[in-house]
Amino acid sequence: MANSIAARRAKTKRGRREILKHEPKVVENPKVLACLRGHATSSVVSGVLKEFYSLHRPLAKSFTRKNFIRPFEAAGEAPLEALLAKNDCSLFMLGNHTKKRPHNLILGRLFDGHLLDMVEFGIEDFVSLQAYAGRKRSLGIKPCVIFKGGFSSDPNLEKVKNLLLDVFRGPNASEVDLAGLEAMVSVEVKDGPRIVIRHHRILLKKSGGKLPKVELEDTGPTMELSIRRSQFAAPELMKMALRQPKGLKPKKVKNISYGEGLGDTVGKVHVKKQDMKDLALRKMKGLRKGALKAAEQGENDDDHDDDEK
């Protein structure tokens, strides 16, 4: 997306600021989700697009105009890439409805202004958040995302999991406050394969101790997705998209390494070889030097007496 903007030469200060805003950064801006309508939609598809937009605001843009875009067909990627580049969106959700593919939903993402990967789903058993009573989640909140089932059993399911995590992850957060853990998204894979998505609200109640009692309340929306078509990125392109800038990599420090899981710092301390006899331990009476020498001398005297006999 930055290439098409940088190709134009800025004539004003405002234009130069706009070009600088879209240039590559060490820490990129949060990804914005574009909710697009196809040439024909159903009430189910319109409801899904509307509620995904409301859940992802302010990192989402809704397009009410119909778009004749078919990204899985030949030359169908170019108009989609141009539309997303114009609106600075790197995630998209395209909904349409046909007789051949009813209640169709396409999720995808871009890298460097070009289509990276996308998956087509069929929407089933959709329940709107309006059907659930109670308080809804706050605007712009970062949810906890939990994946259940056999995502690791199939390489394609692992790629679908990575795409869904990119969609649901929300804004970047350097710190987590316990009071801010308000929403949770549960993604479960079943036979078919079918993916069930549920939204919950996290309730922290008194437990009589230091840690609160955690309860989950259904807030919606809830839906079941069946996988139809998919187009994944080539391994080389995905490796390039996952490359980490040098500015984010921690500098190498002697004898210090960083854990892969939670980023823990692990230090290595070099100690000289120690003599176990010189360790400052609690010594019993029977282990003192005088007692040991006396015991050894007594054993020698006994052996000498036996020899004389």
Side-chain angles (χ1 to χ4, degrees):
M1 283 180 284
N3 295 338
S4 60
I5 297 173
R8 293 176 288 179
R9 189 173 181 179
K11 298 181 180 179
T12 60
K13 291 183 178 179
R14 183 179 177 183
R16 284 192 285 272
R17 287 197 300 269
E18 192 67 23
I19 290 176
L20 290 173
K21 189 188 298 183
H22 291 83
E23 282 187 350
K25 305 173 184 177
V26 176
V27 180
E28 293 287 349
N29 299 329
K31 297 181 179 181
V32 180
L33 176 67
C35 300
L36 305 170
R37 297 176 183 271
H39 61 282
T41 57
S42 62
S43 59
V44 174
V45 173
S46 300
V48 170
L49 293 174
K50 183 179 178 181
E51 296 193 1
F52 263 85
Y53 167 69
S54 64
L55 291 174
H56 287 76
R57 286 186 303 168
L59 298 177
K61 293 183 180 181
S62 179
F63 297 84
T64 57
R65 184 178 297 179
K66 295 181 179 180
N67 300 278
F68 196 83
I69 298 175
R70 295 179 177 177
F72 280 97
E73 295 184 1
E77 301 177 1
L80 177 63
E81 293 172 355
L83 180 62
L84 296 177
K86 184 179 179 181
N87 293 276
D88 194 20
C89 298
S90 54
L91 296 171
F92 71 90
M93 175 181 290
L94 177 63
N96 50 41
H97 177 73
T98 60
K99 186 177 180 180
K100 186 178 180 180
R101 294 184 178 89
H103 311 309
N104 203 48
L105 186 70
I106 302 174
L107 287 175
R109 53 189 170 179
L110 272 67
F111 170 68
D112 196 21
H114 300 285
L115 188 64
L116 180 65
D117 53 5
M118 58 182 172
V119 182
E120 186 180 62
F121 301 97
I123 306 172
E124 300 175 7
D125 301 333
F126 171 68
V127 182
S128 172
L129 58 86
Q130 303 299 332
Y132 293 90
R135 180 186 164 191
K136 309 303 178 186
R137 60 185 264 187
S138 303
L139 182 66
I141 201 76
K142 186 177 179 66
C144 302
V145 186
I146 297 178
F147 290 92
K148 299 183 291 183
F151 279 100
S152 58
S153 61
D154 188 358
N156 290 335
L157 285 177
E158 286 188 350
K159 296 174 183 177
V160 173
K161 173 185 173 181
N162 185 271
L163 175 61
L164 292 174
L165 180 61
D166 226 0
V167 173
F168 289 117
R169 69 189 309 165
N172 299 327
S174 57
E175 298 179 351
V176 178
D177 186 9
L178 185 62
L181 296 176
E182 183 180 333
M184 190 191 82
V185 181
S186 172
V187 184
E188 183 180 3
V189 63
K190 294 185 177 181
D191 295 335
R194 296 176 180 272
I195 297 174
V196 181
I197 300 175
R198 299 183 181 91
H199 289 76
H200 305 278
R201 181 167 168 258
I202 301 175
L203 303 176
L204 302 178
K205 297 187 176 182
K206 293 182 179 179
S207 62
K210 292 184 178 180
L211 297 177
K213 181 182 178 182
V214 181
E215 292 184 359
L216 299 178
E217 181 184 15
D218 291 336
T219 59
T222 303
M223 68 191 76
E224 189 172 324
L225 304 176
S226 59
I227 300 176
R228 290 175 176 171
R229 292 184 292 179
S230 60
Q231 180 180 320
F232 298 115
E236 295 180 357
L237 182 60
M238 181 57 72
K239 184 179 179 181
M240 189 182 300
L242 297 175
R243 184 179 298 168
Q244 191 177 16
K246 291 183 179 180
L248 291 179
K249 293 181 179 179
K251 294 183 179 179
K252 289 186 177 181
V253 183
K254 189 177 180 181
N255 298 327
I256 290 180
S257 59
Y258 300 94
E260 297 180 358
L262 300 175
D264 299 329
T265 304
V266 181
K268 185 185 291 185
V269 181
H270 296 275
V271 182
K272 293 181 179 179
K273 187 177 181 180
Q274 295 180 342
D275 189 359
M276 301 301 291
K277 295 181 180 180
D278 296 336
L279 290 178
L281 301 175
R282 184 180 177 184
K283 297 180 180 179
M284 308 298 291
K285 286 184 177 180
L287 299 177
R288 290 179 181 175
K289 289 184 178 180
L292 290 173
K293 288 182 179 179
E296 291 177 358
Q297 187 176 0
E299 290 179 358
N300 293 334
D301 294 341
D302 294 340
D303 295 339
H304 182 69
D305 294 340
D306 293 339
D307 293 341
E308 289 180 353
K309 290 179 180 180

